[in-house]
Amino acid sequence: MPTPSMEDYIEQIYLLIEEKGYARVSDIAEALSVHPSSVTKMVQKLDKNEYLTYEKYRGFDLTAKGKKIGKRLVYRHDLLEQLLRTIGVIEENIYDDVEGIEHHLSWNAIDRIGDLVQFFEEDESRIEALREIQRRNEEQE
């Protein structure tokens, strides 16, 4: 199992490859706000753990294992953003909140969150009922 730091890199590499067709050390460093040397060290670690293949000066690509995990990590991130939007968290807080919680949830918890998002999406009146509860609670504060 990858560490939270490894997950951040795998997720970012996956996103860059999906968006651009490749991921460069400089792109990853910029996206994660880290030094390129830190990216190189992590890429070597990810290669050793078979999440990607790395050849010095030639670049790297995710392995099947890395792609599978990358896809699941992106799903987890997107699902948590969707949940926070659904329950009314203000947009400017969502990204940081997701970054703060995503590594601390089990995959079982992620699956149950998926069920909850589906529950809200299947009947708009459920979201309206939640908004009404939120309005009442704000009035009481």
Side-chain angles (χ1 to χ4, degrees):
M1 227 26 222
T3 65
S5 180
M6 291 167 80
E7 286 182 348
D8 286 339
Y9 279 85
I10 294 168
E11 181 180 2
Q12 193 57 54
I13 292 166
Y14 181 87
L15 287 169
L16 285 166
I17 290 172
E18 286 293 302
E19 179 184 322
K20 296 174 143 186
Y22 61 89
R24 296 180 313 194
V25 167
S26 59
D27 297 327
I28 299 164
E30 182 180 338
L32 296 176
S33 301
V34 298
H35 290 91
S37 60
S38 298
V39 175
T40 300
K41 286 177 188 171
M42 181 58 79
V43 165
Q44 291 168 342
K45 188 175 185 178
L46 293 171
D47 179 52
K48 182 179 177 193
N49 286 279
E50 301 178 348
Y51 294 110
L52 57 77
T53 54
Y54 171 70
E55 291 183 47
K56 198 171 184 178
Y57 307 117
R58 299 189 112 214
F60 50 88
D61 197 13
L62 290 171
T63 61
K65 174 181 168 182
K67 287 176 187 172
K68 181 179 178 181
I69 289 174
K71 185 175 183 176
R72 187 131 167 106
L73 294 172
V74 169
Y75 165 76
R76 175 181 71 185
H77 188 100
D78 292 347
L79 179 65
L80 291 171
E81 281 189 1
Q82 188 177 4
L83 172 69
L84 295 183
R85 262 187 209 97
T86 299
I87 64 172
V89 173
I90 58 174
E91 194 65 34
E92 63 195 39
N93 293 343
I94 290 176
Y95 181 82
D96 288 340
D97 287 348
V98 169
E99 286 298 309
I101 64 175
E102 66 182 341
H103 300 296
H104 302 284
L105 296 172
S106 68
W107 287 107
N108 179 255
I110 295 298
D111 290 341
R112 297 300 66 82
I113 288 169
D115 296 342
L116 181 62
V117 168
Q118 181 180 348
F119 173 80
F120 279 115
E121 287 180 342
E122 285 181 354
D123 186 345
E124 188 71 25
S125 69
R126 295 169 180 159
I127 295 174
E128 292 168 14
L130 175 63
R131 297 284 180 264
E132 180 56 34
I133 290 168
Q134 290 169 335
R135 276 191 289 279
R136 284 195 319 255
N137 287 341
E138 287 176 4
E139 288 172 4
Q140 293 175 2
E141 291 178 357

